[in-house]
């Protein structure tokens, strides 16, 4: 027995050491850094100057950070509603008795295989472009001149254009999670509901959705993490300078830590504070999801 324990320790030790060095240490260092004035991430700890909650107070007084949090909320809330509803609709349809289900699932999931950079470039140059964009040509052909003149990549519409493109790329991923949840529901329940006279709509409302609470919680958690780590899409839609219409906390943090054309003085301490705020945001969402969405199921027809 002792030999088995020793062997377990020997085999687990390298993985634990790597995990602590790669994950635990950076997290602890980032949390500590958020309470100090630090110019660069590589600055020695001996040069850190304690400021308490000064970094947190500083970032919340910055207009750009407040705008980035608003953009993040819109991406999470509006984009989340659209993604969950569209992906659930596709999942329900593609778990029914239709032909070529595997083909349609693969087609809808395909944007997740494509690089986010390539996907964003496709939307910018081939769909939202004012001269050659697909939307411009379709609205023009239909005689909808007002809609054909919309500047999707203009300041007023760029955030919504970015959300639309992001949702398009995310739907397939969450659709597969919905499908896995739906396919776990015993078919006997649907047969019993049909015998009791429940139609498809009632079955979906009183049977499918209550049994998908766990899947819903998983999708909302994954979506919150993906929304908080929103970076590539914002950089693609504003590649030169950080713009108010597309800035998100991750971009603002990147500019603070490494500098940019608009932010010339680096502040790693403030960047660490932003990272802590984002982590607290995800934890808050996770707590609310678990409080509001109960696992108990009450099936009624």
């Amino acid at each position: 027995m002792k030999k088995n324990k020793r062997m377990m320790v020997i085999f687990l030790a390298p993985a634990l050491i790597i995990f602590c060095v790669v994950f635990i240490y950076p997290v602890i260092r980032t949390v500590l850094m958020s309470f100090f004035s630090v110019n660069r991430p590589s600055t020695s700890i001996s040069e850190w100057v304690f400021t308490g909650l000064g970094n947190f107070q500083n970032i919340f007084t910055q207009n750009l950070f407040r705008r980035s949090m608003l953009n993040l909320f819109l991406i999470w809330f509006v984009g989340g509603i659209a993604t969950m509803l569209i992906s659930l609709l596709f999942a329900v349809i593609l778990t029914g008795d239709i032909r070529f289900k595997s083909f349609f699932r693969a087609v809808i999931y395909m944007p997740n295989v494509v690089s986010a950079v390539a996907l964003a470039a496709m939307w910018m140059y081939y769909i939202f472009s004012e001269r050659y964009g697909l939307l411009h040509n379709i609205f023009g052909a239909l005689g909808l001149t007002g809609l054909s003149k919309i500047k999707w990549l203009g300041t007023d519409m760029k955030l919504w254009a970015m959300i639309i493109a992001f949702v398009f790329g995310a739907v397939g991923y969450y659709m597969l999670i919905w499908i896995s949840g739906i396919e776990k529901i015993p078919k006997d329940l649907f047969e019993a509901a049909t015998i009791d006279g429940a139609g498809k709509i009632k079955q979906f409302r009183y049977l499918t959705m209550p049994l998908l609470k766990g899947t819903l919680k998983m999708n909302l958690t994954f979506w919150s993490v993906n929304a908080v780590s929103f970076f590539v899409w914002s950089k693609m839609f504003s590649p030169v300078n950080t713009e108010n219409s597309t800035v998100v906390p991750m971009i603002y943090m990147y500019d603070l830590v490494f500098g940019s054309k608009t932010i010339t003085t680096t502040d790693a301490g403030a960047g660490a504070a932003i990272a802590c705020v984002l982590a607290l945001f995800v934890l808050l969402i996770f707590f609310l999801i678990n409080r509001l969405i109960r696992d108990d199921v009450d099936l009624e027809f």
Side-chain angles (χ1 to χ4, degrees), residues 6 17 42 62 80 97 103 113 124 127-128 140 151 178 183 210 229 231 236 242 285 287 294:
R6 290 179 181 176
I17 293 173
S42 58
Q62 302 297 320
D97 296 328
F103 171 76
V113 180
M124 291 173 63
I127 297 179
F128 291 136
K151 296 182 179 180
W178 285 120
E183 290 183 340
S229 58
F231 181 85
M236 287 298 298
T242 301
I285 295 300
F287 173 77
R294 303 289 185 177

Side-chain angles (χ1 to χ4, degrees), residues 22-200:
V22 176
F23 293 100
I24 303 299
Y25 171 71
V27 170
I28 296 175
R29 183 182 175 92
T30 300
V31 173
L32 291 176
M33 190 183 297
S34 66
F35 297 102
F36 290 82
S37 175
V38 185
N39 291 331
R40 296 181 180 277
S42 58
T43 302
S44 175
I45 297 179
S46 60
E47 299 178 18
W48 293 7
V49 179
F50 182 74
T51 59
L53 298 176
N55 288 324
F56 295 92
Q57 295 174 352
N58 181 41
I59 61 176
F60 278 103
T61 59
Q62 302 297 320
N63 293 329
L64 191 58
F65 176 73
R66 293 201 297 267
R67 178 57 190 267
S68 71
M69 290 299 292
L70 175 61
N71 290 344
L72 173 62
F73 175 77
L74 292 174
I75 293 169
W76 175 79
F77 184 73
V78 179
I81 292 176
T83 302
M84 294 301 114
L85 291 178
I86 297 173
S87 61
L88 178 59
L89 176 63
F90 283 144
V92 172
I93 294 173
L94 295 179
T95 49
D97 296 328
I98 64 171
R99 300 177 63 184
F100 309 114
K101 288 192 294 186
S102 299
F103 171 76
F104 290 122
R105 290 179 184 181
V107 169
I108 296 174
Y109 183 76
M110 190 175 295
N112 291 271
V113 180
V114 181
S115 167
V117 175
L119 198 61
M122 178 195 73
W123 277 88
M124 291 173 63
Y125 296 113
Y126 299 111
I127 297 179
F128 291 136
S129 174
E130 295 180 32
R131 296 183 60 186
Y132 310 108
L134 181 64
L135 291 178
H136 173 78
N137 293 333
I138 290 176
F139 290 140
L142 294 175
L144 303 174
T145 55
L147 294 176
S148 66
K149 293 181 180 179
I150 293 178
K151 296 182 179 180
W152 291 97
L153 299 180
T155 303
D156 296 334
M157 293 298 298
K158 186 175 285 189
L159 174 64
W160 301 110
M162 187 171 63
I163 291 176
I164 292 172
F166 182 53
V167 168
F168 173 83
V171 162
Y173 176 77
Y174 296 96
M175 177 199 68
L176 291 185
I177 299 178
W178 285 120
I179 288 175
S180 66
I182 294 173
E183 290 183 340
K184 289 180 181 179
I185 301 175
K187 293 183 179 180
D188 296 343
L189 294 177
F190 293 102
E191 294 175 358
T194 303
I195 295 174
D196 291 339
K200 294 295 184 181

